[in-house]
Amino acid sequence: MAKEGAAEKAAPPPDERLLPDERTDYDRDYDRIVFSSEFRCLHDKTQVFPLSSSDYTRTRLTHSIEASCVGRSLGQLAGRHLSREQSVEVEPSHLGTIVAAACLAHDIGNPPFGHSGEAAIQHWVEQRLVPPGPERTSPFGKSAEWKDLQSFEGNAQGLRILTRLQSRERWGGLRYTAVTLGAMSKYPRPSVLPDGRSPEKGRVSEKKFGYFQDDHTLAVEAYRALGLKEREPGVFSRHPLAFLVEAADDICYAVIDLEDSAKLGLVPMEQACRLLEQVLPPPPSDKPQRPPPSHLETRMAQARARAIGLLIPACVKVFLAHAEEMERGEWETPLVSADKDVREQLDEIKRITRRQGYESERVLQIESAGFKTLGGLLDMFALAVVTDSPNREERKLRQLLPMESFQRPEFADADQKKPPERDAAIERLTKYQRLLCVTDYISGMTDGFAVELFQRLSGIKLPT
């Protein structure tokens, strides 16, 4: 306490009273993803088992968080070895955060009902829309635009979310670091390869595509800034860290989906435990062997943790051995596939999970319903925005689409001075861009909201 009569020290300016934000740019990327509404919506998006009544099975949210944890371990372990053994100037914690952030976002573009939702959008486009051509009425200006939607891809939608749909009024959206975008880009190429060629067999980076025509400029800018090898115009090699992100997803996809299938009774628990234990190395013969826990769920949890703990260093070992090839854009093999023994064991797990889990009657029934749901919503909304002469019903459907769906950075200044009417905001876009606005809206829905909205708009269930 100051003595009586002593002058009180003036309070420092507000900015000096606050501790500085010492987060790295990679920390900010991670935090922005966690706090995004698109990430939050993953809590009600299918991982494997759609609309599950069990409170145990994973959703896309829990899968992404678990993959992020595995990804952080992969990145940090790789960073420590690169720094200590190969004298690479890298901060291991930074690599861990970059891979963890990319893992958080790796499924952020998936539509409702997971990969079945992707197939539903693709099927609808094939049935309802045609590519441009002589004597054809098509909403597309070029065949690559049609291919974007005919092969709708959650990976491309994820990049679109991070670079365009978050903070829509400015170029680059929330402006994540280029390395986070590169790490999450497993397929850094457009939907149509140069000269219309087919993807090269054995080249994993061409298995799918990673950005839409509408996002070409931003994607290419990011990939060139990272120095990725541009094999052909717009077609790039992967960033090395993308292999670690893929490995984290593959590990969780194989191990965790088996555990979920067992918990739901689709794969016998005893069989699931044995499959995971086969991934582990045989114990030393000169030491007494402890019997596995008699409680099967405890045995499963231990086998899962040990399997993941073994697969992480196995993948990092492959990564370190081939890091220079990755830098040159010459490595095209997933890390979990490079070791023959690991690959064969995980393939067996995936085969059983697919046959007894993914293709179970309940899963197939709900996925079929998902086709009807997403196809029905596309029938309503896509046709309502493509037409330049909407009828009464189509006008009502336009009003149900969020106005922000039609915001773009090139119109931001004009819109701030004078907000456009809804029809004007729609009709200033190309028909391809309008269709993307609809797939942005529908792919961003949760499973439950998509079903609810479809039932309401179809008259099956009225709003309460």
Side-chain angles (χ1 to χ4, degrees):
M1 176 180 282
K3 293 182 180 179
E4 187 176 354
E8 292 187 9
K9 186 177 180 181
D15 58 340
E16 292 183 17
R17 291 201 301 265
L18 299 175
L19 293 175
D21 182 358
E22 296 185 351
R23 293 177 299 165
T24 66
D25 289 339
Y26 315 126
D27 293 326
R28 292 187 181 93
D29 283 353
Y30 185 95
D31 295 347
R32 285 169 179 164
I33 294 166
V34 168
F35 282 90
S36 69
S37 59
E38 292 85 358
F39 181 72
R40 196 159 54 247
C41 283
L42 296 178
H43 84 281
D44 186 24
K45 285 195 174 186
T46 298
Q47 168 59 17
V48 175
F49 304 103
L51 300 173
S52 176
S53 57
S54 169
D55 61 359
Y56 178 85
T57 53
R58 271 83 171 180
T59 64
R60 285 284 166 187
L61 181 66
T62 44
H63 165 73
S64 297
I65 293 170
E66 290 173 339
S68 178
C69 292
V70 173
R72 177 178 280 108
S73 297
L74 287 163
Q76 289 181 345
L77 183 58
R80 285 196 292 271
H81 282 273
L82 287 170
S83 176
R84 295 173 186 171
E85 299 176 11
Q86 299 185 20
S87 301
V88 177
E89 292 186 10
V90 64
E91 178 59 52
S93 64
H94 290 177
L95 252 60
T97 303
I98 293 165
V99 176
C103 286
L104 279 184
H106 83 282
D107 275 347
I108 205 167
N110 276 33
F113 305 101
H115 294 300
S116 177
E118 287 178 325
I121 295 172
Q122 295 164 3
H123 177 74
W124 183 89
V125 173
E126 288 177 347
Q127 298 298 309
R128 296 288 194 276
L129 305 176
V130 295
E135 300 181 4
R136 290 181 186 166
T137 302
S138 173
F140 303 103
K142 51 186 178 180
S143 59
E145 294 177 349
W146 178 78
K147 189 66 174 176
D148 278 356
L149 296 180
Q150 185 267 339
S151 302
F152 181 86
E153 175 56 52
N155 288 284
Q157 187 67 24
L159 185 74
R160 182 173 173 83
I161 287 170
L162 267 59
T163 60
R164 182 181 290 276
L165 302 187
Q166 296 175 340
S167 197
R168 298 170 186 251
E169 74 283 355
R170 67 177 188 172
W171 292 104
L174 286 183
R175 299 177 182 172
Y176 292 86
T177 61
V179 69
T180 294
L181 299 177
M184 69 171 283
S185 297
K186 294 193 292 185
Y187 313 105
R189 69 152 178 109
S191 60
V192 175
L193 291 164
D195 300 321
R197 70 171 178 84
S198 299
E200 189 170 317
K201 188 176 180 180
R203 184 171 282 178
V204 68
S205 60
E206 291 187 1
K207 181 181 176 182
K208 301 178 183 180
F209 73 96
Y211 64 86
F212 297 116
Q213 292 296 308
D214 196 41
D215 306 314
H216 173 273
T217 301
L218 282 168
V220 169
E221 180 183 344
Y223 300 150
R224 286 176 178 166
L226 288 167
L228 301 186
K229 181 179 179 181
E230 191 166 2
R231 297 183 174 123
E232 299 166 86
V235 180
F236 296 81
S237 63
R238 277 185 180 179
H239 190 285
L241 296 184
F243 287 95
L244 294 179
V245 174
E246 179 181 55
D249 187 28
D250 286 344
I251 290 169
C252 291
Y253 163 64
V255 175
I256 302 300
D257 289 0
L258 175 66
E259 184 179 20
D260 276 359
S261 297
K263 287 282 188 175
L264 290 174
L266 300 172
V267 175
M269 187 72 75
E270 175 76 31
Q271 181 187 17
C273 290
R274 288 199 308 270
L275 284 167
L276 288 180
E277 288 163 353
Q278 288 171 12
V279 177
L280 307 174
S285 57
D286 58 341
K287 292 186 178 180
Q289 305 304 310
R290 293 171 56 187
S294 57
H295 188 264
L296 285 177
E297 292 198 4
T298 301
R299 180 179 169 187
M300 167 67 76
Q302 289 184 0
R304 179 244 299 151
R306 292 173 63 199
I308 292 174
L310 176 77
L311 291 168
I312 287 172
C315 288
V316 170
K317 182 179 179 180
V318 176
F319 176 83
L320 294 170
H322 300 282
E324 291 185 2
E325 294 168 72
M326 295 175 191
E327 285 277 1
R328 296 193 301 267
E330 297 171 359
W331 178 260
E332 287 287 340
T333 305
L335 301 181
V336 297
S337 300
D339 184 300
K340 181 176 179 291
D341 293 335
V342 171
R343 180 179 68 248
E344 290 177 350
Q345 290 162 351
L346 292 186
D347 283 349
E348 174 67 6
I349 290 174
K350 292 175 184 178
R351 184 183 65 79
I352 290 173
T353 305
R354 182 179 300 108
R355 188 182 71 236
Q356 297 175 227
Y358 306 158
E359 297 174 1
S360 65
E361 182 178 2
R362 180 183 179 277
V363 170
L364 294 175
Q365 286 176 347
I366 295 179
E367 287 182 345
S368 179
F371 258 70
K372 292 286 191 297
T373 296
L374 298 193
L377 291 172
L378 285 165
D379 271 337
M380 298 171 195
F381 289 114
L383 300 182
V385 300
V386 166
T387 179
D388 287 328
S389 302
N391 59 32
R392 291 182 180 182
E393 181 183 6
E394 289 165 342
R395 286 188 181 279
K396 291 183 183 298
L397 288 167
R398 284 186 172 197
Q399 288 180 302
L400 290 172
L401 287 166
M403 190 64 178
E404 67 176 16
S405 298
F406 310 107
Q407 291 178 345
R408 293 177 67 88
E410 59 263 39
F411 303 126
D413 291 340
D415 289 354
Q416 190 171 18
K417 295 173 183 175
K418 184 181 179 182
E421 297 293 330
R422 182 177 296 271
D423 285 348
I426 293 172
E427 289 163 15
R428 67 188 176 184
L429 305 179
T430 69
K431 292 186 177 182
Y432 163 67
Q433 290 171 339
R434 298 180 206 179
L435 287 167
L436 283 176
C437 291
V438 173
T439 53
D440 290 341
Y441 178 54
I442 292 176
S443 67
M445 294 178 183
T446 63
D447 295 7
F449 180 74
V451 171
E452 178 82 8
L453 184 62
F454 174 67
Q455 290 177 340
R456 288 182 176 185
L457 297 182
S458 301
I460 298 170
K461 180 179 180 180
L462 296 178
T464 55

